[in-house]
Each structure stands twice: as C-alpha cells, then as structure tokens.
C-alpha cells in the first residue's frame, strides 16, 4: 500500500491534473500509478510530463532511453521503475531479455549503447562526479555534447521517479521484476 494516497481515477485527481492524466491515458491506454501519484501535485505532474516530452524529442533513441532507465532503476533500487521500464523496454523499445539483463548491469549488448548506459550508471553511482576520462569515453563512442547532456538529464529524471516511488512505496502495476542488488 502506498504511503501517499494515489487518486483512484482521473476524475478523483486534482482538477488541474485531470487534462494531463487524460493525455497520458490517450498516449498509453491507461494511467499507471506513478502518474496518478504525481498528479497529487499538478505542478509536479506538469514538470514531469514536460521534461519527459522534451527528452523524447531529443537526440537519444527510445531504446537507449529505456536502457538508461533500467540501469538507473537497478542502481537506485526502485522496483516500480525497474518493472515499468522492463515492460516498456520489451514492449515499446523492443529490447530482448538479454539486453534488459545487460542494461540492469549497467551495460548493453550494443557497443555504442553500452557506452551511454555505462556512463549513465557512473553518473548515477557517483552522483554526477564523473571523471574527465568518463566524459571522453562516452564521446569517443560517438555521442555528441548534446547527447551527453541528455544522458545526464535522463539520469536525473529517472532518479526523480525512482525517489518518488520509493518515498511513496507506489504499488507496482506492471509485471513485477525483482531487484538484483540492494540499493
């Protein structure tokens, strides 16, 4: 049971959040618990959706974004986000089980994506205090300065969702994936 009350429906969410939740419902076909939880603060929901939407238009492909989300969720110990992104990774980004397992370990079976996921994992583990060599390595793998910034932004956004779900103990409404390591 969640530590913070989750509106049971779009209609029971604050009025200012209802149009945003309706848009989520149109896009995803449902409104996962995370979105309804965050809707408790319409400003927080607007911020989350705004950043998510902006990053979706960025230079990183959707599979790489999901790979990063999986690595960050595993490192931060968020079972909700791990379960959600394993589902999204498999069903939307078309990642296979071996790739999802690699992502959860902070790497990828795709050479270029491995550099992004490894960098994202280091950013998460070191709270941004990566070395110059870490930045050079991801750039040497073919990532532009803009993409490096987007990787960091994805780490930040995913860390935020990890934290909000851990604070709230949000009930998982995706097929449950167990964490491998303690956060």
């Amino acid at each position: 049971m969640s530590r913070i009350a989750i509106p049971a429906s779009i209609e029971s969410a604050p009025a200012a959040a209802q149009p945003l939740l309706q848009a989520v419902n149109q896009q995803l076909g449902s409104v996962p618990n995370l979105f309804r939880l965050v809707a408790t603060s319409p400003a927080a929901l607007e911020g989350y959706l705004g950043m998510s939407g902006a990053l979706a238009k960025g230079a990183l492909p959707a599979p790489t974004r999901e790979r990063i989300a999986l690595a960050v969720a595993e490192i931060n110990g968020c079972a909700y986000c791990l379960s959600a992104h394993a589902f999204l990774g498999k069903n939307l980004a078309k990642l296979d089980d071996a790739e999802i397992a690699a992502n959860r370990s902070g790497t990828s079976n795709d050479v270029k994506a491995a550099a992004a996921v490894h960098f994202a994992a280091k950013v998460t583990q070191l709270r941004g205090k990566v070395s110059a060599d870490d930045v050079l390595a991801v750039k040497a793998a073919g990532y532009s300065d803009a993409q490096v910034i987007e990787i960091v932004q994805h780490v930040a956004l995913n860390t935020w969702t990890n934290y909000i779900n851990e604070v709230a103990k949000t009930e998982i409404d995706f097929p449950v994936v167990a964490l491998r390591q303690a956060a």
Side-chain angles (χ1 to χ4, degrees):
M1 172 174 256
S2 179
R3 293 177 182 165
I4 298 174
I6 298 175
S9 65
I10 293 172
E11 297 73 24
S12 62
Q18 290 178 15
L20 300 171
L21 292 175
Q22 289 166 348
V24 168
N25 191 39
Q26 285 183 323
Q27 184 179 13
L28 299 179
S30 67
V31 184
N33 286 341
L34 167 65
F35 294 94
R36 287 184 288 109
L37 168 68
V38 175
T40 302
S41 167
L45 181 60
E46 183 178 354
Y48 172 56
L49 293 174
M51 187 181 295
S52 294
L55 288 173
K57 298 178 210 167
L60 295 176
T64 299
R65 297 191 308 261
E66 288 303 321
R67 289 172 170 116
I68 291 168
L70 286 159
V72 172
E74 187 76 52
I75 291 165
N76 285 333
C78 180
Y80 184 95
C81 291
L82 181 61
S83 298
H85 289 288
F87 179 84
L88 295 170
K90 186 172 214 146
N91 293 291
L92 296 180
K94 304 303 181 196
L95 302 176
D96 62 26
D97 291 339
E99 180 62 16
I100 290 170
N103 303 153
R104 292 177 64 187
S105 296
T107 190
S108 173
N109 296 319
D110 175 274
V111 175
K112 184 173 181 182
V117 176
H118 180 71
F119 181 71
K122 282 198 117 173
V123 169
T124 306
Q125 292 162 335
L126 300 175
R127 294 179 292 159
K129 294 178 173 79
V130 296
S131 70
D133 287 342
D134 294 326
V135 175
L136 288 173
V138 74
K139 289 171 71 172
Y143 289 94
S144 68
D145 288 343
Q147 289 172 313
V148 171
I149 289 169
E150 286 181 29
I151 291 168
V152 174
Q153 196 69 30
H154 280 286
V155 168
L157 181 62
N158 283 288
T159 296
W160 181 81
T161 61
N162 295 169
Y163 285 8
I164 196 69
N165 284 308
E166 286 304 302
V167 166
K169 292 297 180 198
T170 310
E171 182 179 336
I172 300 171
D173 50 351
F174 292 92
V176 175
V177 176
L179 292 162
R180 285 194 208 144
Q181 58 192 31

